[in-house]
Structure formats: C-alpha cells, structure tokens
C-alpha cells in the first residue's frame, strides 16, 4: 500500500459496562501499535471527547454509520433516552443512545455494506440492590434491554438474524474482541491491497 490505511472504530455501550469500554480502548491501542507500520486506527469513545454545553452528547460525536467498525457492548441496561428530535416518527418515543447507535450502524450496513458491527452481551447476572432507591428503574432497564435484543437480534420464530457474542467477564471479552478485531483488520488490509492492485 502506498500510504497507511485509515480505520475508525466506534465503541457503543451504556454506562453499566465501564470496565469493558476501558478494555476495548486498550485492545485497539494494542492493535494500533501492532499494525502501526501500515494502519492508523481512530477509536471513538465519547468520554475522551470534549463535550461542549451548546448541545447534547449524541450530536457531538460521529455517527456509528460514519465509521468502519462499531463495537457494541451490552449487559443490563440500554441507557438514557435521546432528545425528542431523535424519534423515528413524530409522536413516537426517541430511542436510547445505545438503541440509536446499534440501529444506525446496522441500517447503514444494509444500505452501504459499512460499517462492520460486532455485538457483545455480558452473560453474568446483573447486580441489583433490592433495597436501593432505583431498584425498580434497574429492573425496567433490564426488561427494556431484553426486549430490544429479542426484537433486534431474533426473528418471530426465535432464530438469530443478527450475530452477536456472549462473554462471561472482562478477560473473556478482551480475548474475544482482540481475536475478532485482529481478523477484521487483516481483512481490511487485504481488501485495501487488492484495491491498489486494480
């Protein structure tokens, strides 16, 4: 290749998987070093961006559909709802940030073949303190996430239509993401090399 390949990676998740978000950042830093001679990787984590007060969070970060790879990490919640102007139809409730990001990425892939999407869901039971003031909200969030996964990832008969990976803990997630992302990078480099030869 004449120059380095540029790839952007969007990390999508609610706040309940902070450990895995940090691990994802670490995985892509390691891979960026591993492939530094031929590749530049830009990893988009909203918490590393300056968020200005003139608008909300979602408006200030690139859309997942504008990236090359979206990594979605799920466990026990879908997160906070976005402002009303993100609603799919007038009168309908807006999605949460996580719903929006996953659907934006999958819809773009259907239309344009980009971005690739890797979805991971933590299998460990969520931690709920029954005595806490927000126990009811935690249950609501978990039910909302379960329903989202059921309708977005499976058809009416329960067959998986969107591939996704389960993981047991942080170490399992890091191992899987490293393996999957490295294979993705190698395919992207191979495609870029083939394109140059044409």
């Amino acid at each position: 290749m004449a120059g380095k390949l540029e790839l952007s990676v969007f990390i999508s998740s609610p706040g309940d998987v902070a450990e895995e978000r940090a691990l994802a950042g670490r995985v892509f830093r390691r891979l960026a070093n591993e492939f530094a001679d031929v590749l530049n990787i830009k990893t988009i984590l909203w918490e590393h961006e300056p968020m200005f007060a003139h608008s909300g969070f979602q408006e200030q970060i690139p859309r997942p559909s504008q990236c090359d790879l979206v990594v979605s990490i799920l466990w026990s919640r879908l997160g906070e709802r976005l402002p009303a102007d993100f609603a799919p139809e007038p009168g309908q409730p807006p999605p949460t940030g996580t719903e929006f990001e996953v659907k934006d990425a999958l819809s773009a892939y259907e239309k344009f073949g980009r971005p690739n999407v890797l979805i991971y869901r933590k299998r460990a039971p969520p931690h709920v303190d029954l005595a806490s003031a927000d126990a009811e909200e935690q249950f609501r969030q978990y039910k909302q996430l379960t329903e989202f996964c059921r309708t977005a990832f499976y058809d009416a008969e329960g067959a998986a239509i969107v591939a996704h990976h389960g993981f047991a803990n942080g170490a399992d997630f890091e191992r899987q993401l490293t393996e999957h992302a490295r294979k993705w990078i190698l395919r992207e480099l191979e495609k870029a090399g083939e394109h140059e030869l044409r």
Side-chain angles (χ1 to χ4, degrees):
M1 290 184 295
K4 287 188 180 184
L5 180 63
E6 305 274 342
L7 292 175
S8 56
V9 179
F10 189 103
I11 310 297
S12 167
S13 74
D16 59 339
V17 286
E19 176 194 355
E20 288 81 8
R21 279 185 75 81
L23 289 171
R26 187 165 80 181
V27 165
F28 284 103
R29 282 194 301 276
R30 276 202 312 260
L31 291 169
N33 289 333
E34 182 180 332
F35 291 96
D37 291 345
V38 291
L39 179 68
N40 285 326
I41 300 177
K42 180 182 181 185
T43 306
I44 298 160
L45 290 146
W46 71 264
E47 62 268 33
H48 294 173
E49 302 296 326
M51 290 292 163
F52 301 105
H54 57 71
S55 66
F57 292 96
Q58 203 75 44
E59 296 91 338
Q60 296 187 58
I61 55 177
R63 286 178 69 135
S65 54
Q66 298 168 331
C67 298
D68 299 296
L69 176 68
V70 174
V71 176
S72 177
I73 314 163
L74 305 170
W75 183 20
S76 65
R77 52 182 287 135
L78 270 180
E80 304 300 322
R81 290 218 173 270
L82 295 175
D85 53 348
F86 282 89
E89 300 284 342
Q92 288 188 4
T96 68
T98 302
E99 284 179 281
F100 170 78
E101 289 164 0
V102 171
K103 288 181 176 177
D104 182 63
L106 291 174
S107 174
Y109 185 86
E110 265 187 41
K111 292 177 190 166
F112 311 113
R114 207 86 173 162
N116 288 120
V117 183
L118 287 169
I119 299 174
Y120 300 88
R121 187 170 182 191
K122 194 171 186 174
R123 289 192 301 261
H127 309 299
V128 178
D129 179 0
L130 296 175
S132 70
D134 69 339
E136 203 170 297
E137 172 62 11
Q138 291 179 57
F139 276 120
R140 189 193 68 76
Q141 282 270 353
Y142 186 68
K143 284 171 65 178
Q144 185 182 15
L145 171 68
T146 302
E147 180 63 12
F148 170 73
C149 291
R150 186 185 66 76
T151 56
F153 302 161
Y154 299 92
D155 67 15
E157 282 72 49
I161 53 173
V162 171
H164 50 286
H165 308 273
F167 67 93
N169 51 41
D172 186 27
F173 169 74
E174 186 174 13
R175 178 192 59 75
Q176 287 191 57
L177 180 59
T178 300
E179 182 180 325
H180 299 157
R182 182 180 287 116
K183 287 179 179 176
W184 171 74
I185 288 168
L186 290 169
R187 287 175 191 164
E188 292 299 309
L189 289 168
E190 187 179 339
K191 278 193 275 184
E194 289 172 0
H195 180 73
E196 267 198 7
L197 293 173
R198 287 177 191 162

